[in-house]
Amino acid sequence: MKIETNTHEKNILRLAEEHPELVVLSADLGTSCEVKSFRAKYPDRYFTLGIAEQNMVSWAAGLAREGYRPFIHTFAVFEYRRVLDQVEMSVAYPNLPVVFVGFVPGITTPGGVSHQSINDVAVMRSVPNMAVFDVGDATDIDYILDIAYNYNGPAYIRQLRKDVPRLFPADEPVVFNRARVLSEGDDVVLLSSSICTEEAMRATAVLKERGVSVQHMHVTTLAPFTDPTIVDAIAKAKYGVVTIENHLKTGGLGSATADLMAEHGLGKRLIKVGLDGYAHGASKMYLMEKYGINAMKLVKAVEELTGKELNINNEDLQEVRFVDFLEV
Amino acid sequence: MDKKIYTTEEIQAIADSIRKQILGIALKTGGCYLAQACSSAEIVASLYTNVMNLGPSEGPGEPIPFPGVPGPDNMDYPKGALYNGAPAPDKDRLFVSCCHYASVIYSALSAVGRLCPEWTEKFNVDGWNMEMIGAEHSPGFENTAGSLGQTISIAAGTAWARKARGDSGRNFVMLGDGELQEGQTWECIQAASYYKLDNLIVVIDANGQQVEGKIEDQMNVEPLVDRFKAFGAECVSVDGHNIEEFEKAFETEHKDKPLVVIGRTKGYTGMKPLEKRWPFLHFVRIGKEDREEFQKIYDEM
């Protein structure tokens, strides 16, 4: 599996070149969010607003009102918890095209609970007018900025930085509000997002060997969440649905899927894999293991849905993993 | 067309008409934000006459049904800012942060011919745009300001954009003094100073009152002039009921700095019976027992 480095940096520079009204705002974390070279190249289009996120969000609204296209860069956690009122009243209510690029989402940071955005999807999905995206690989990163730029309103991106695997072909674009089919099948539908897709791919490969037919779909657009291809897949699933996300089980991919199933009258079982509560500071691999956001947990969920003992162990699930995040 | 210069007497007449109009609403409905009208009447009247440079109103001129919540399919609704004139490089803009003052803004718009006098009939009426607390669609409003502390930052972002574009127009933002307790206000002043936004003009109706009483008894914000200067702005404090003094404050030199003009006011100016209720004047109710007294003031206005 190919590991790509600083993919966001390349894309924000490309987009900035295409759109002279694009500006970047940061609250002292630009260098941690791959916009150091943007600042060097476009010093007049880079706002350092100090460690003061509330002012930054409303300031971005003022810029957007005048035709600029602000891309806020800081850690995901600081783009929804501390500034929710500013996000809602300054940006979302007037439907301004401000893009919130949120880095180190969920447990991809060892920074501990203050740095881990574990309910950001839940919160941002509940904000009217807001589009929510969760990227899972370098191809997602390649296309997501353009999708957010072209969205008619504010957008929130859970962005991955530094070393990120390329799981999907670089020439197969992300489609807005459409899941990417990674495996076809009709026993179980498996929906994954963010860093969990890599885990799900590992699980799917082994599950197939054991004769389970898995429809695996990677979800990048979490709001809106009305993808008819997901509805169709779930309608065909014999045993039910499993979701896995780098997020709390409440309000994220799993909850969105539950809503969709209920709205379409798809009375099947759903098993949500994700966090049950706050996490703590440690490496990503350790946290995924500790909180059960991994391939083995998916296997157990599929066993529960199908009622079959699959006899899959950790060795079966081993595969090349990408470099861990160690830096805050 | 040259900008009309109003005499102090004309501006005072507008201020008086604002007080009368809002008192009329209070008498009709039993209560409203009357003290805010009494404290800010001269400030708002001055802004809408000699202080700000606005183009002719582009607003509908009369109340309209609520034009809907903004969204992907509703971005072309009539904006409240149109009443302050079409945006133009040389024109000023007004951001009203103290949006409880909505009726005062509507009244001022009406007094200078930007809104019909019958606006009061639709004020705070279900389904209409003349809401009690203003938002994007409310006449005179650029943005949704009900959550305090945010509008100054929106105005500053706008000021930066306009400065970058070379616009000569200024960006006024009107605040109450209670709102200065919000941390975001100071985040913004530090940033506006850092970015040398001398096209940002902050106007404060410092009436010394907030919902629960006197500001100094809730959370002190003084010394305001020193505080604003320490954060890098230029700041002057004047009598907000003295039109000439207030107007002159905007001539203060503030090269490379935002200018803050503090108008010191009282929420019972021109409304004697309110004095005994001060500082509990956030929302003034006129009950049966007070009605006659206020009606008499209204009739004599």
Side-chain angles (χ1 to χ4, degrees), chain A residues 44 46-49 52-55 58-59 61-63 65-66 68 85-86 89-90 93-95 129 151-152, chain B residues 69-72 75 93 136 142-144 147 150 153-154 156-158 160-162 164-165 184 187-188 191 195 197:
Chain A
D44 297 339
Y46 183 89
F47 288 82
T48 164
L49 285 161
E53 293 82 4
Q54 300 179 353
N55 176 59
S58 301
W59 188 291
L63 295 172
R65 283 171 181 276
E66 293 305 302
Y68 283 90
D85 193 21
Q86 285 76 10
M89 289 299 98
S90 292
Y93 175 76
N95 194 45
N129 292 334
Y151 181 70
N152 182 9
Chain B
V69 167
M75 290 303 282
R93 303 266 288 271
E136 318 272 325
E142 286 263 358
N143 67 299
T144 304
S147 179
Q150 298 188 30
S153 304
I154 295 170
T158 305
W160 185 92
R162 296 189 67 198
R165 222 165 37 209
Q184 186 174 352
E187 290 184 1
C188 181
Y195 283 104
L197 297 184

Side-chain angles (χ1 to χ4, degrees), chain B residues 14-252:
Chain B
I14 289 171
D16 294 344
S17 78
I18 291 172
R19 284 196 183 87
K20 180 170 184 178
Q21 206 159 37
I22 307 305
L23 175 59
I25 289 172
L27 283 164
K28 187 172 133 191
T29 63
C32 69
Y33 295 111
L34 177 60
Q36 288 80 347
C38 292
S39 65
S40 70
E42 283 77 18
I43 290 175
V44 174
S46 301
L47 287 175
Y48 267 104
T49 52
N50 288 351
V51 175
M52 293 194 298
N53 178 25
L54 303 178
S57 171
E58 301 272 318
E62 54 197 31
I64 58 167
F66 173 61
V69 167
D73 303 321
N74 187 32
M75 290 303 282
D76 297 325
Y77 60 91
K79 310 283 192 300
L82 291 175
Y83 289 79
N84 294 338
D90 62 323
K91 297 301 183 199
D92 294 337
R93 303 266 288 271
L94 174 64
F95 293 79
V96 182
S97 186
C98 47
C99 58
H100 294 68
Y101 288 58
S103 60
V104 187
I105 300 297
Y106 305 154
S107 186
L109 287 170
S110 161
V112 295
R114 292 171 182 271
L115 182 63
C116 69
E118 294 78 28
W119 70 269
T120 54
E121 291 165 23
K122 293 286 187 251
F123 174 67
N124 203 17
V125 171
D126 290 348
W128 290 79
N129 67 333
M130 312 292 298
E131 290 169 34
M132 188 164 67
I133 294 180
E136 318 272 325
H137 54 274
S138 308
F141 282 77
E142 286 263 358
N143 67 299
T144 304
S147 179
L148 300 176
Q150 298 188 30
T151 301
I152 187 170
S153 304
I154 295 170
T158 305
W160 185 92
R162 296 189 67 198
K163 198 169 174 176
R165 222 165 37 209
D167 287 9
S168 60
R170 296 166 297 174
N171 304 281
F172 288 79
V173 55
M174 184 175 166
L175 313 179
D177 48 357
E179 182 175 3
L180 304 178
Q181 293 161 349
E182 289 279 8
Q184 186 174 352
T185 306
W186 301 98
E187 290 184 1
C188 181
I189 294 293
Q190 86 181 355
S193 303
Y194 177 76
Y195 283 104
K196 298 184 169 40
L197 297 184
D198 50 12
N199 59 345
L200 179 70
I201 315 288
V202 181
V203 179
I204 298 169
D205 175 21
N207 60 16
Q209 65 180 62
Q210 59 188 113
V211 174
E212 293 201 31
K214 258 163 85 171
I215 284 184
E216 63 197 71
D217 293 343
Q218 312 309 316
M219 180 51 62
N220 175 51
V221 295
E222 298 288 353
L224 280 180
V225 174
D226 292 347
R227 286 191 185 194
F228 279 111
K229 285 188 173 175
F231 273 71
E234 185 52 78
C235 181
V236 284
S237 175
V238 298
D239 176 355
H241 296 301
N242 184 323
I243 290 163
E244 285 173 23
E245 203 180 299
F246 182 72
E247 266 186 36
K248 213 167 150 39
F250 294 91
E251 292 165 17
T252 307

